[in-house]
Amino acid sequence: MTDHAGASSHPSDPSAPAGSEVPPARRRRGRRVLWWVLGSIGALLLLGIVGILVWSQVGVMAAEPEPLAEVRADAAIETTDTSGAIILEPADGESELGLVFVPGAKVDPWAYANNLSGMVSEGDVTVVITKPWLNLAFFDLRPLEAFTGLVPEVDTWIVGGHSLGGVRSCQLAADADALLLLGSYCASDLSASGLPVLSIAGSEDGLSTPEKIEDARPLLPEDARMEVIEGASHASFGDYGAQPGDGTPTISDAEMDAALTALLLGFADDLAAP
């Protein structure tokens, strides 16, 4: 009498026909391999996230204390420090134009307060300097409204930035009334946007060189104003000291502040003109 449950049909038999049940040992081995693969991927992702977090906090270029102290001591400027931004407002409260400014990568936002203070004290412009997530503008997904909403009484807004902060400002420009680039250029095409644009380069900039800025010129509207401050380096647009890879400035901080403020005030006046 034939045993119909013979060895030839046992599930653990390697010669079992196709479609037969997978042996338990093989299933367990497959699950172990799957969990090992998933665990390895998870560990790599975790290491990558931790690495980015550590890198973003190491080597942040701090604001120089003396220029910052001048801003805080200026009676014409009211300073407000929030969790997401620094707000510089005219002390008299009269402001119809605002600037949302995005710092360069791993630069303390306070480092730009002095360079932009002339717009506030002399031009009655409200300046909102963002505090990018992880000190990197590219990781900051907040819309422009997150910053303009801090000063709702201002109706007309420029968005701008320095270095990689300028690249981010180009991405936010669709919701602004004008664009300002300091030692920076766009990676997105705004040539048909119709936005008023002021781009300021430094002749000694070793990072966003005048040549790189000129190469990206077709991405801006035809009537964009392209200016160069002679003697200015990349770090001249902020007060945070020398920057690796940059050129050497040949003008003083005072000369830089005067030249930059004059260009910024002229741009503000153009926007305010009927």
Side-chain angles (χ1 to χ4, degrees), residues 15-41:
S15 63
S20 62
E21 184 180 355
V22 177
R26 187 179 301 174
R27 287 201 304 270
R28 288 194 296 271
R29 186 166 59 251
R31 284 196 293 267
R32 286 197 299 269
V33 171
L34 177 61
W35 281 115
W36 183 86
V37 171
L38 292 176
S40 299
I41 293 173

Side-chain angles (χ1 to χ4, degrees), residues 180-244:
L180 170 67
L181 299 172
L182 303 184
S184 185
Y185 46 87
C186 288
S188 48
D189 190 354
L190 298 179
S191 59
S193 67
L195 280 172
V197 177
L198 172 61
S199 173
I200 306 176
S203 66
E204 308 308 308
D205 193 327
L207 299 173
S208 297
T209 63
E211 291 76 20
K212 290 180 180 178
I213 291 174
E214 183 59 31
D215 287 344
R217 174 65 179 84
L219 297 176
L220 298 176
E222 288 187 7
D223 60 353
R225 287 181 55 190
M226 310 297 292
E227 301 286 351
V228 178
I229 297 179
E230 293 296 328
S233 68
H234 194 72
S236 295
F237 291 100
D239 293 304
Y240 56 87
Q243 188 168 356

Side-chain angles (χ1 to χ4, degrees), residues 97-118:
L97 177 63
L99 165 65
V100 172
F101 190 83
V102 186
K106 298 174 73 172
V107 178
D108 183 348
W110 284 105
Y112 298 98
N114 182 63
N115 298 72
L116 301 174
S117 63

Side-chain angles (χ1 to χ4, degrees), residues 21 23 37 55 65-66 71 76-77 95 154 164 203 236 247 253 264:
E21 184 180 355
V37 171
W55 179 78
E66 292 183 2
V71 176
I77 300 175
S95 184
V154 175
L164 288 177
S203 66
S236 295
D253 290 343
L264 295 178

